[in-house]
Amino acid sequence: MNHTSRLVVTAGPTISREDVHRMLPEAEVRGPVAADQVLRWEWDAGDTLVVIDGVFLQSRAVRHKELLALLDRGVTVYGASSMGALRAAELEAFGMRGVGKVFRSYRDGVLVGDDEVALTHADAESAYRPTSWALVDLRDAAGAAAREGAIDQVTARTVVEAAKSLPFTARDDFTILDAARRRGCRAAALDSFRAYCAARGPGVKHRDAVAALAIAGATTLTSDMRAADRGPSGGLRYRGAPVQLATTTHLRRWTPTSPPFSAPDGERETLGSERVLARDDEVLTQLALDWPEYPAFQRSVAAECLLLQTQPQSGNAAVGEQRRALGDIADVSDHDRTHLEWEPLARALSTRLPDLGLPSSSSEAGDALTLLRDEERDQPWETAGPLLAVRLWLADPRVDWRTPLIERLQGCPAYHQALAALADARTDAAPPVNDPTALRDVCRSVLVRWGVQRASDVPAVLRDHGFTGIDAMVSTLRAHPRKATDASGTGEEGAGHTVPHVGHGTARADWDRHGSVLLPGVLDAERVKATATEAHEQIGTATPYERDEVSSHRDGSFASPAHCGLLPAGPRLQQLAFDEHLLTALREATGMSQLVPRGGSLVVYHHGDFQGLHTDPAEATVTVGIALTERLPSMWWAPSLRDASPDRLAEVVADKGFWPECAEFERLGHPHADGSVRAFAGNRIPHWRTPYSGEEPGLLAILSYTDP
């Protein structure tokens, strides 16, 4: 590969960073790709992207249009194994290059379900370790085992059918083989298949990834040769014929504007070592928040664009040429300013409102008058009409309003300050604002800072700052990059939210030291009591859960014998799992800013029921327990065995039994009905519950959270 070209690989559970670098030392390896990422990575014609892994559950999947935009720029895009195979099968006609068996199976219609390549996996700190089977890998392993005589064809077919019947999130070793056993497979055959898989090499997804990297690495064309290979017209092609990529307003919003060459020294360095660019909408939001002149700037540019619609063949010209054209109809002599004076633009615009199909009087404006402040409505229409026109322009779905703003900003110091602020926020990023109360206070403080004095001011002020309505403002501020030090709000007005606060330092220390933390009063006690009532009404429908053997699973979790009842979460328990106050407290206490709920369940203990020593599934990063009956005995807990291997836990069980009670282990109680909860790292620290001695059933609510 030519040293001037760039090769980026998106890899995760399919192939490790180390394996990629062993094959391609010069490659930039990034994690599984998601939407809103690839267009942020700076590209030149002749660069190469190899898409292997991608996300779609915890984030939106990479969009087809984003990959088409790279192809249009002359970037070579390969796809294989997982998300890459899916997108390559869908975009092969446009020049995306698919590699491997999985890609061919999708392209030829042999495979049709996205779940064939889906799996769950650990986070980046754990090297994206797979915690479940991808169905294509299971098919490949079962077929090979049957061909080599490790199992018979019926067992191979039944294992695959059993896995296919499960959600992709439940396709771990234990669940798949248990489902196959229930379908009639013999235990000896399943044990043989498990042993075969343990001894077998990488699956088809990994083999396809290796093949894709080998092809990408063997490419020796220089950037100029690649450009020549695309033909004289360059750009995107469909089955070899040149086609034009439609530049939609969505694509413009997803595509960042690179800092110009006149940017201050070091500006590109502030974007980070991986050269992640800010999207235009993020830059404009940052300016709206921090730049006092933003409303005047946006108003001026909107007026320019509206006036240019009355001038034939001037809309696609450079900014300087556009402003020279405006000189025929408005007094705009200074062509170098970021934005022009409002008064001459407003005078020119007021006489052209009918030509633009805009209200030429207050009687024609109708409900649109709500976009004018009270004092603006009292002004002559020559003054109020242009104000209303530029605010209506912002909400026109046919208008790409961000591009002309960005084009006029690139020589402005405020633009570069916004870029630096966004880069700074990403180095010390606060989590999204998910708590409704906190988000309301953040929005209120911003509106006050923008000069809102009464409710009727809000529509006009929002339009002046680039938002079509309050919903657009809320959704933008929820996810807008912010420094962690600014996470509580933007001023005094936003500092007083009522999210229950857990002593951050103490709770975090407890979590780091013990893998467990008690969060007092974080839930409404009445809601917990209502959840307990709901659960008690379902006890008679509990499904018996019986496990008689010791086993370890593909995701590294461990299980020993258990006997209890299980109930799915009712509506009230599900609501508790997604409670914003609880989620905020958990994120604070654990330091996991991206923690998200997986759901909940109920465990029913009758007299004599127990759970032997076990660890939770790997994706259950945080488990929350709430006792729904009084005097539910404490569970036992072994922090000294944190991250112990399944083999080590099997030795403990063999030596001390399924529910050891000894001084080296601890008891861990669950709060009952007072709004407090116990959170613990059940996927890392083994725990168990000794035989239940109560006469009335015991109920434990379990909420599970994962850190994607």
Side-chain angles (χ1 to χ4, degrees), residues 146 205 218 306 326 419 440 618:
K205 289 178 67 178
L306 286 168
L326 285 178
L419 287 174
R440 180 199 64 198

Side-chain angles (χ1 to χ4, degrees), residues 320-405:
E321 295 176 9
Q322 290 177 355
R323 289 182 171 175
R324 278 188 285 273
L326 285 178
D328 297 335
I329 56 175
D331 183 15
V332 287
S333 57
D334 188 350
H335 301 155
D336 297 326
R337 293 192 56 189
T338 303
H339 57 283
L340 306 177
E341 293 296 332
W342 168 249
E343 286 75 14
L345 292 172
R347 286 195 297 270
L349 187 57
S350 65
T351 62
R352 291 166 174 79
L353 294 177
D355 299 335
L356 292 165
L358 294 167
S360 57
S361 67
S362 59
S363 60
E364 291 182 8
D367 292 342
L369 287 174
T370 58
L371 295 177
L372 295 173
R373 293 189 184 213
D374 293 347
E375 60 271 20
E376 293 170 345
R377 296 178 201 171
D378 297 333
Q379 295 175 349
W381 198 249
E382 291 77 11
T383 302
L387 285 172
L388 180 61
V390 297
R391 289 168 184 161
L392 289 170
W393 173 81
L394 185 74
D396 189 337
R398 301 165 297 175
V399 171
D400 170 25
W401 54 271
R402 294 180 178 88
T403 297
L405 295 175

Side-chain angles (χ1 to χ4, degrees), residues 324-593:
R324 278 188 285 273
L326 285 178
D328 297 335
I329 56 175
D331 183 15
V332 287
S333 57
D334 188 350
H335 301 155
D336 297 326
R337 293 192 56 189
T338 303
H339 57 283
L340 306 177
E341 293 296 332
W342 168 249
E343 286 75 14
L345 292 172
R347 286 195 297 270
L349 187 57
S350 65
T351 62
R352 291 166 174 79
L353 294 177
D355 299 335
L356 292 165
L358 294 167
S360 57
S361 67
S362 59
S363 60
E364 291 182 8
D367 292 342
L369 287 174
T370 58
L371 295 177
L372 295 173
R373 293 189 184 213
D374 293 347
E375 60 271 20
E376 293 170 345
R377 296 178 201 171
D378 297 333
Q379 295 175 349
W381 198 249
E382 291 77 11
T383 302
L387 285 172
L388 180 61
V390 297
R391 289 168 184 161
L392 289 170
W393 173 81
L394 185 74
D396 189 337
R398 301 165 297 175
V399 171
D400 170 25
W401 54 271
R402 294 180 178 88
T403 297
L405 295 175
I406 291 293
E407 287 175 346
R408 288 158 175 78
L409 277 169
Q410 291 191 1
C412 176
Y415 172 75
H416 301 293
Q417 292 167 7
L419 287 174
L422 289 168
D424 190 31
R426 286 194 176 88
T427 63
D428 183 22
V433 185
N434 288 314
D435 177 71
T437 305
L439 189 57
R440 180 199 64 198
D441 291 339
V442 168
C443 293
R444 180 189 291 130
S445 68
V446 170
L447 289 172
V448 169
R449 185 153 52 86
W450 285 346
V452 170
Q453 298 178 352
R454 48 191 176 269
S456 59
D457 292 343
V458 171
V461 170
L462 288 175
R463 291 292 175 96
D464 286 347
H465 288 84
F467 298 105
T468 55
I470 193 67
D471 289 344
M473 178 190 183
V474 169
S475 62
T476 299
L477 293 186
R478 174 185 288 118
H480 186 68
R482 302 164 302 128
K483 288 188 67 174
T485 53
D486 300 330
S488 62
T490 56
E492 287 186 8
E493 298 84 0
H497 69 79
T498 58
V499 178
H501 180 71
V502 180
H504 178 79
T506 302
R508 181 67 184 275
D510 285 347
W511 179 265
D512 291 341
R513 187 181 304 111
H514 303 296
S516 169
V517 63
L518 180 66
L519 304 176
V522 74
L523 291 173
D524 178 15
E526 293 304 316
R527 291 180 63 197
V528 177
K529 291 176 182 177
T531 302
T533 300
E534 174 188 73
H536 277 87
E537 292 171 352
Q538 303 177 48
I539 285 180
T541 64
T543 301
Y545 178 70
E546 300 179 13
R547 184 177 58 235
D548 299 322
E549 72 284 346
V550 172
S551 60
S552 57
H553 305 147
R554 180 182 174 88
D555 65 355
S557 59
F558 176 83
S560 65
H563 192 294
C564 56
L566 297 178
L567 281 168
R572 292 186 182 277
L573 183 58
Q574 286 286 21
Q575 290 170 11
L576 289 186
F578 287 82
D579 183 88
E580 294 288 350
H581 293 180
L582 173 58
L583 188 56
T584 299
L586 288 171
R587 287 172 172 168
E588 278 191 2
T590 64
M592 302 176 194
S593 61

